[in-house]
């Protein structure tokens, strides 16, 4: 088997509190990105991507839109090269829009389920990483959101919030037909 080098990552299992807020549009982050990270000079999107790169077990994504190819590449890398169990819950109407990456992700074998409503939307924007870290906020996973919109993502390993959002994900996964 081909050995793939792991990307730079954060320790999602740290016993120290993770309390990071990302504010877009993209800028250089000035506060610590992780309790065990040294001094880093990373842009907002780079911190977001580094957290995705940190998954080793599971990545449960519940988002309205995925059109940013940088994010899609990270999801595919986790699924194809690191053996991470990736599952995606998304909006059916948004998945048909120009630039939507859900079809590519599904074609690559990533399990994807969608709501089945023409009038209502699956509008959540969160991810649970390795069952230990929650990323949640207004941020749509689009390039425009990271470069132009006023958006936010809160990153925490607070067990209460991780469990609440994991429960929400699992309920939607079953509701929309996930196996």
């Amino acid at each position: 088997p081909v050995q793939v080098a792991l990307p730079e990552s954060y320790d999602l299992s740290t016993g120290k509190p993770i309390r990071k807020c990302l504010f877009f549009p993209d800028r250089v982050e000035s506060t610590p990105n992780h309790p065990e990270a040294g001094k880093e000079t990373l842009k907002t999107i780079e911190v977001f991507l580094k957290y995705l790169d940190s998954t080793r077990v599971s990545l449960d994504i519940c988002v309205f839109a995925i059109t940013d190819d940088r994010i899609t590449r990270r999801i595919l890398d986790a699924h194809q090269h690191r053996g991470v169990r990736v599952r995606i819950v998304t909006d059916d109407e948004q998945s048909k829009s120009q630039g939507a990456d859900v079809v590519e992700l599904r074609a690559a074998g990533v399990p994807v389920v969608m709501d089945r409503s023409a009038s209502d939307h699956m509008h959540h924007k969160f991810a649970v990483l390795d069952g230990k870290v929650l990323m949640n906020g207004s941020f749509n996973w689009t390039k425009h959101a990271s470069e132009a919109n006023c958006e936010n993502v809160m990153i925490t390993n607070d067990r209460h919030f991780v469990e609440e959002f994991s429960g929400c994900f699992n309920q939607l996964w079953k509701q929309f037909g996930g196996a």
Side-chain angles (χ1 to χ4, degrees):
V2 176
Q3 289 289 339
V4 176
L6 293 175
E8 287 191 37
S9 61
Y10 298 121
D11 178 6
L12 301 181
S13 297
T14 181
K16 297 177 183 176
I18 297 174
R19 297 181 182 128
K20 179 65 181 173
C21 294
L22 301 176
F23 296 100
F24 296 88
D26 212 7
R27 62 190 172 101
V28 174
E29 288 297 309
S30 59
T31 61
N33 299 321
H34 183 276
E36 296 173 0
K39 178 78 171 131
E40 297 179 299
T41 306
L42 297 175
K43 290 186 174 182
T44 307
I45 190 64
E46 292 170 331
V47 174
F48 182 88
L49 296 172
K50 190 169 178 179
Y51 270 94
L52 291 181
D53 287 342
S54 301
T55 58
R56 298 293 182 261
V57 178
S58 63
L59 177 56
D60 288 337
I61 301 166
C62 190
V63 294
F64 178 66
I66 305 173
T67 64
D68 188 325
D69 292 341
R70 299 169 296 182
I71 296 171
T72 299
R73 280 194 305 274
R74 290 328 204 280
I75 296 168
L76 287 171
D77 179 63
H79 173 71
Q80 296 173 331
H81 301 296
R82 294 199 310 274
V84 173
R85 184 199 73 198
V86 179
R87 300 185 297 172
I88 299 173
V89 173
T90 193
D91 183 76
D92 61 339
E93 293 300 314
Q94 181 62 29
S95 71
K96 301 171 192 168
S97 67
Q98 183 177 357
D101 292 338
V102 171
V103 172
E104 176 186 353
L105 289 161
R106 183 179 262 168
V110 175
V112 175
V113 297
M114 299 177 214
D115 68 329
R116 296 177 291 270
S117 173
S119 60
D120 300 323
H121 293 289
M122 199 308 299
H123 208 250
H124 287 297
K125 298 158 188 83
F126 70 86
V128 178
L129 290 65
D130 287 351
K132 298 177 183 298
V133 172
L134 168 68
M135 298 195 316
N136 175 56
S138 66
F139 182 65
N140 277 309
W141 294 20
T142 68
K143 194 167 185 179
H144 190 79
S146 70
E147 294 178 351
N149 292 354
C150 292
E151 305 272 3
N152 67 79
V153 176
M154 179 199 70
I155 304 170
T156 182
N157 61 350
D158 182 295
R159 196 80 220 138
H160 172 78
F161 295 116
V162 172
E163 288 173 1
E164 289 281 332
F165 278 86
S166 289
C168 177
F169 180 90
N170 288 324
Q171 183 268 322
L172 290 171
W173 182 256
K174 289 176 186 155
Q175 178 182 336
F176 299 147

